[in-house]
Amino acid sequence: MSRIAEVVRNTAETKIRVVVNLDGSGQSKLATGIGFFDHMLDQIARHGAIDLTVEAEGDLHIDGHHTVEDVGITLGQAVARAVGDRKGIRRYGQAYVPLDEALSRVVIDFSGRPGLIWQVPFTRAMIGVFDVDLVHEFFQGFVNHALVTLHVDNLRGENAHHQCETVFKAFARALRVAAEADPRAAGVVPSTKGIL
């Protein structure tokens, strides 16, 4: 079964195309116009073993907010479409990822209910020209449209770049586990309710 999805989202503020292959090898083609954001999206592809294409044109003359949030929305829609009815997946995933002094934990549940718990005390407001507030907006957009519950905790860190990178890497690893096929539950919805 192919777990590939393409979503195009066009608004007055952004034009975005996302293609995901949940059973990929970590290849990425990224062009959001925001270099640091592309670097973070590359972490999702590489460490999530997801083939990911993101093409985005946004109102960057204002700031990066609409672009980053709308990529999160579109990626969430694409992941939801690719994972389908959620039969046979592990459903839950978790990961701890360090980078030097920084350590983050991400736990995900393909619950069918959007929920974001966010505990990331960035040590500074900007990483180069990238506003760290946009990281929360990205994940909120993803959660709302992928219909997942996501707990994100940066447990320690002094360098904001390291903090952010551990969040994205841990998210990628947790997503990879949760979306994987469970060979012991093929074709079964991982819920006592029988639906997610």
Side-chain angles (χ1 to χ4, degrees):
M1 181 180 73
S2 173
R3 300 199 302 163
I4 300 170
E6 177 178 1
V7 175
V8 175
R9 174 183 166 87
N10 292 327
T11 72
E13 298 165 339
T14 61
K15 291 179 174 56
I16 295 169
R17 175 177 172 264
V18 170
V19 183
V20 296
N21 177 357
L22 295 181
D23 302 309
S25 60
Q27 302 300 307
S28 65
K29 296 178 184 176
L30 308 166
T32 67
I34 305 170
F36 180 76
F37 187 41
D38 285 351
H39 180 48
M40 293 301 103
L41 293 172
D42 193 34
Q43 307 307 316
I44 295 175
R46 187 73 50 90
H47 297 283
I50 295 168
D51 290 345
L52 177 62
T53 298
V54 179
E55 300 166 355
E57 295 179 20
D59 51 2
L60 297 181
H61 62 285
I62 297 175
D63 67 8
H65 187 285
H66 298 141
T67 298
V68 173
E69 180 181 27
D70 287 5
V71 167
I73 289 169
T74 311
L75 178 61
Q77 292 170 337
V79 167
R81 190 174 296 175
V83 83
D85 60 12
R86 305 178 187 214
K87 286 181 180 177
I89 65 168
R90 295 190 185 278
R91 177 176 169 177
Y92 302 101
Q94 64 177 347
Y96 287 80
V97 170
L99 175 56
D100 297 343
E101 88 298 342
L103 175 66
S104 291
R105 175 185 61 218
V106 173
V107 183
I108 190 169
D109 174 12
F110 274 91
S111 60
R113 299 180 304 278
L116 177 62
I117 305 299
W118 182 259
Q119 296 293 326
V120 183
F122 281 112
T123 56
R124 64 179 191 265
M126 301 294 287
I127 301 172
V129 297
F130 185 83
D131 181 350
V132 298
D133 285 346
L134 300 186
V135 183
H136 177 271
E137 298 304 316
F138 168 80
F139 283 107
Q140 188 68 70
F142 176 85
V143 159
N144 288 347
H145 293 269
L147 300 178
V148 300
T149 300
L150 188 68
H151 289 247
V152 182
D153 295 276
N154 173 242
L155 303 175
R156 64 181 59 91
E158 298 173 7
N159 181 306
H161 186 135
H162 293 172
Q163 289 176 289
C164 192
E165 192 162 328
T166 59
V167 164
F168 275 85
K169 286 177 174 176
F171 169 72
R173 296 294 297 186
L175 177 64
R176 177 177 178 173
V177 172
E180 274 181 344
D182 184 347
R184 296 179 61 194
V188 177
V189 175
S191 171
T192 54
K193 293 190 291 289
I195 189 172
L196 287 172

